[in-house]
Amino acid sequence: MNLPTTLKDLLASGETLVCIEDLSGKKGLLQAINPLVKLAVTAFMIVVSLFVSWLPYLALFCVVPVVLALASKIPVRGFLSRAFLIPLFSAVISIPTLFITDGAPIFSSNLGLFTLSITFEGLQKFLIFSIRVWFCVASLTLFTLSTGFDAILRLLASIGVPTIVVQLFSLTYRYFFVSIHELEKVLLAKEARTYLNKRTVNLESLKRSGTLLATLFIRTYERSERVYLAMKSRGFGISFAAKSSTPKLRATDLLFGTTAMFIFGLFVIL
Amino acid sequence: MSDSIVEVKDVYFSYPSGVKAILGVTLNICKGERVALLGPNGSGKSTLILLMAGLLAPQKGAISVFGENVASKEFPKQRRRIGVVFQDPDDQLFTQSVIEDIEYGPKNLGLSETEIKQRSDEVLKIIGINHLKDRPPHRLSFGEKKKASLATALVLKPELLILDEPTANLDLISRRGLIEMLNELNKDGATVLVSTHDVEALPELADKVVVISQGSVLGEGKTLDVLQDMKLLGLAGLEPPAIVKLFSELKTAGLVKDMPVTISDGVRELHGLLKKERLS
């Protein structure tokens, strides 16, 4: 398909979501754990990482998500690439801490008017911050990769998130795929009647793109009306739907939860 | 009529855009009937179906279903007796998995967990989609989505089942399966109302046909009579089934007296004709 890169990316994101769903369906360690326990352990791990500021410990922390990914049959390369984008950004914005933190200089460079020094304390601060961010993002990525969206929604409902919010998330996720499919159809129809290979951006092409987006919005609006009627025909608005429940806790869930919390708790005590 | 469950009296409906969709429609549907609203695209069939399901309110005239006016505040209580299947299954399936969608209606009805499970299992078995129950809708084929949509309505055990273009975009095997399923439900007492422009499927789908064009009822009658009425179908912008067209030609040529509307009747008729030919 010869589509503009940005749109190709958008269509590819649909494929990515499908791929994530596949991962959550694999028979691995984390997939077998109750989502509630997984969420509690993830939150605990994140909180613990905020209290640990000794670099060797933090370095040890970084191994945990990788080991869990391997045990959960989640491709490590894909997992790491997903978990590196935000930490990379945070690392870039924390670069000034290398220079502005007081301490013993480990590297200095004379730039004429002033001297630029990287201090040991600054480097330590930078590394601690970057590793913490990476660990938090990696833990959450692991949680979402190993838990189906359906299970996440049920979990949100069971922990007291308002039904309307859960329904909004659910509808957004469900119709993301439909909208992508709709967009794909519109683009294909456009592509089928595009005879010139040369792609130039001018007023006319911008107008056409605007019309295309407007068509998509109108279709989306019309569909939302029909979906509302479909929901209404099955009792939406008459009474509240029964609260969804998460799977019951089993011995393995409790074992995983207590072991993980004990090990990470030790880091705080020590 | 005493056993009328749907009564539409001189109903008018226009969309906010100004499009006049329904113009003075009057019709009755009795308990246990299989009725088809037949008309070309844009004739107002889908709007009429939404009105009869109480999902839209008429601007003029009145519609009562199970004796309750659809515009009344009490009508939503009657919805539990009505199952609606929309034309596009992507409109109907709005949750994350087939089973969740099937359970959505019963949960809103306030049924117990045990009954919801029992009903869901039953409907999954009847429709033959047990293997799809945990699949998200975007992972299903069109035919599978159609079946799942039907399941979301059947799980409510509706007394009135309303289907908008049920055979549209279905392959022949799926279409056959769907028609058989609807007929089974009808035998069990459900009243079935479908909107369609599929004249080929009509003889097996409905006993009574209401022909609609440009928001008005052009005529109604038994399926066999309507499908043989070339003038009425022509007025509505529709063509008769291929078998009727064939026998119409044969009748004009003086070769046959009747115009069958189903393949099996046509075969019987041709068989008689060939037999007569051989004897002479």
Side-chain angles (χ1 to χ4, degrees):
Chain A
M1 206 177 354
N2 190 17
L3 300 174
T5 318
T6 45
L7 295 171
K8 262 186 182 171
D9 290 344
L10 191 61
L11 297 178
S13 59
E15 302 280 325
T16 310
L17 281 176
V18 172
C19 169
I20 289 174
E21 277 180 0
D22 285 340
L23 293 177
S24 65
K26 284 193 173 181
K27 285 181 179 166
L29 172 73
L30 287 179
Q31 289 88 340
I33 303 296
N34 183 301
L36 186 63
V37 174
K38 251 190 292 186
L39 183 68
V41 169
T42 306
F44 188 74
M45 276 161 46
I46 289 171
V47 171
V48 166
S49 73
L50 300 178
F51 288 99
V52 176
S53 42
W54 196 46
L55 269 172
Y57 275 180
L58 274 175
L60 207 63
F61 271 34
C62 293
V63 180
V64 177
V66 179
V67 171
L68 286 175
L70 281 169
S72 308
K73 295 177 183 169
I74 292 169
V76 177
R77 189 188 276 189
F79 160 64
L80 290 178
S81 67
R82 275 194 186 93
F84 259 114
L85 193 68
I86 297 171
L88 198 69
F89 178 71
S90 68
V92 170
I93 58 164
S94 66
I95 284 175
T97 51
L98 290 167
F99 310 102
I100 59 170
T101 313
D102 291 335
I106 51 168
F107 172 80
S108 290
S109 175
N110 198 337
L111 297 174
L113 287 174
F114 58 92
T115 308
L116 205 60
S117 303
I118 296 176
T119 62
F120 177 74
E121 285 75 8
L123 182 65
Q124 208 171 14
K125 233 181 191 179
F126 171 79
L127 287 173
I128 289 172
F129 178 72
S130 299
I131 291 173
R132 271 184 191 155
V133 173
W134 183 82
F135 181 73
C136 294
V137 173
S139 304
L140 284 171
T141 307
L142 205 55
F143 173 74
T144 49
L145 288 180
S146 63
T147 318
F149 197 74
D150 179 31
I152 294 177
L153 288 176
R154 278 205 300 267
L155 175 66
L156 290 177
S158 69
I159 60 172
V161 175
T163 316
I164 191 76
V165 176
V166 178
Q167 273 178 348
L168 276 175
F169 280 142
S170 171
L171 286 171
T172 307
Y173 187 73
R174 165 74 182 100
Y175 286 99
F176 175 77
F177 290 102
V178 179
S179 302
I180 289 282
H181 189 56
E182 204 97 28
L183 177 65
E184 205 169 7
K185 281 193 287 187
V186 173
L187 290 174
L188 280 174
K190 180 177 167 274
E191 197 66 18
R193 283 173 284 156
T194 303
Y195 307 108
L196 295 172
N197 280 329
K198 201 176 157 191
R199 290 183 185 278
T200 48
V201 179
N202 53 29
L203 191 63
E204 192 56 35
S205 70
L206 287 174
K207 268 186 190 171
R208 273 201 298 267
S209 302
T211 312
L212 192 141
L213 279 177
T215 308
L216 189 70
F217 284 138
I218 290 168
R219 284 191 190 187
T220 312
Y221 173 74
E222 285 173 349
R223 186 179 290 281
S224 71
E225 289 285 310
R226 294 196 300 269
V227 172
Y228 173 67
L229 290 179
M231 291 173 80
K232 210 170 143 186
S233 74
R234 282 190 279 152
F236 178 74
I238 300 173
S239 61
F240 291 104
K243 214 178 228 181
S244 300
S245 54
T246 48
K248 281 177 186 163
L249 287 176
R250 294 161 306 160
T252 45
D253 298 321
L254 294 173
L255 184 70
F256 175 81
T258 44
T259 312
M261 285 187 183
F262 175 73
I263 294 170
F264 276 88
L266 279 179
F267 284 103
V268 181
I269 298 161
L270 295 172
Chain B
M1 208 179 289
S2 59
D3 57 351
S4 234
I5 57 168
V6 181
E7 290 178 36
V8 181
K9 281 182 198 159
D10 198 25
V11 162
Y12 286 78
F13 182 85
S14 300
Y15 283 101
S17 62
V19 175
K20 289 173 180 166
I22 301 294
L23 301 162
V25 167
T26 297
L27 62 95
N28 275 325
I29 295 171
C30 296
K31 194 174 187 299
E33 270 188 327
R34 293 187 309 157
V35 181
L37 298 177
L38 178 67
N41 292 334
S43 57
K45 304 183 299 284
S46 297
T47 307
L48 191 55
I49 268 186
L50 294 176
L51 285 162
M52 287 197 269
L55 296 169
L56 293 176
Q59 281 130 4
K60 201 177 153 199
I63 299 177
S64 66
V65 182
F66 297 116
E68 190 82 61
N69 192 314
V70 295
S72 80
K73 280 183 181 171
E74 294 300 305
F75 184 75
K77 286 179 188 166
Q78 297 296 339
R79 280 212 195 103
R80 64 187 60 203
R81 302 168 74 183
I82 308 167
V84 186
V85 180
F86 286 69
Q87 184 180 348
D88 185 347
D90 276 323
D91 296 338
Q92 184 99 12
L93 307 170
F94 46 79
T95 68
Q96 301 305 315
S97 64
V98 171
I99 188 71
E100 217 179 302
D101 239 304
I102 290 173
E103 289 178 351
Y104 182 85
K107 276 182 182 172
N108 275 328
L109 284 182
L111 300 180
S112 68
E113 287 290 327
T114 326
E115 189 167 359
I116 291 172
K117 190 168 181 329
Q118 190 193 328
R119 281 193 185 198
S120 314
D121 288 347
E122 198 180 310
V123 85
L124 284 166
K125 199 177 159 195
I126 291 171
I127 299 186
I129 53 167
N130 204 26
H131 60 294
L132 303 175
K133 68 176 183 179
D134 295 317
R135 294 259 290 272
H138 57 266
R139 288 288 189 90
L140 306 179
S141 70
F142 188 84
E144 288 170 339
K145 280 187 201 172
K146 273 269 188 189
K147 283 181 182 173
S149 296
L150 185 62
T152 64
L154 292 191
V155 75
L156 299 167
K157 295 193 173 170
E159 292 167 53
L160 171 63
L161 184 61
I162 301 176
L163 304 103
D164 194 2
E165 302 277 4
T167 56
N169 300 320
L170 279 185
D171 59 64
L172 288 175
I173 294 170
S174 303
R175 192 170 81 158
R176 165 116 321 275
L178 180 81
I179 291 171
E180 279 170 9
M181 213 179 290
L182 293 178
N183 289 338
E184 281 299 315
L185 288 166
N186 179 251
K187 273 182 200 160
D188 292 341
T191 305
V192 180
L193 169 66
V194 296
S195 87
T196 188
H197 57 252
D198 184 357
V199 287
E200 302 291 343
L202 264 188
E204 294 163 278
L205 208 54
D207 305 311
K208 180 176 146 184
V209 175
V210 179
V211 182
I212 295 179
S213 178
Q214 294 178 330
S216 303
V217 172
L218 293 185
E220 62 175 274
K222 286 183 180 171
T223 306
L224 302 188
D225 297 337
V226 169
L227 290 180
Q228 288 174 343
D229 192 337
M230 306 282 221
K231 200 178 160 194
L232 178 63
L233 293 174
L235 269 176
L238 295 163
E239 285 204 347
I243 190 91
V244 174
K245 276 201 263 182
L246 171 69
F247 276 84
S248 166
E249 296 283 329
L250 292 173
K251 196 179 174 186
T252 313
L255 291 168
V256 291
K257 286 178 191 166
D258 298 322
M259 278 205 296
V261 295
T262 62
I263 298 285
S264 53
D265 288 348
V267 168
R268 207 172 302 127
E269 194 75 25
L270 279 177
H271 192 73
L273 185 70
L274 291 171
K275 214 172 175 183
K276 213 191 294 174
E277 194 74 15
R278 211 179 291 153
L279 283 175
S280 64

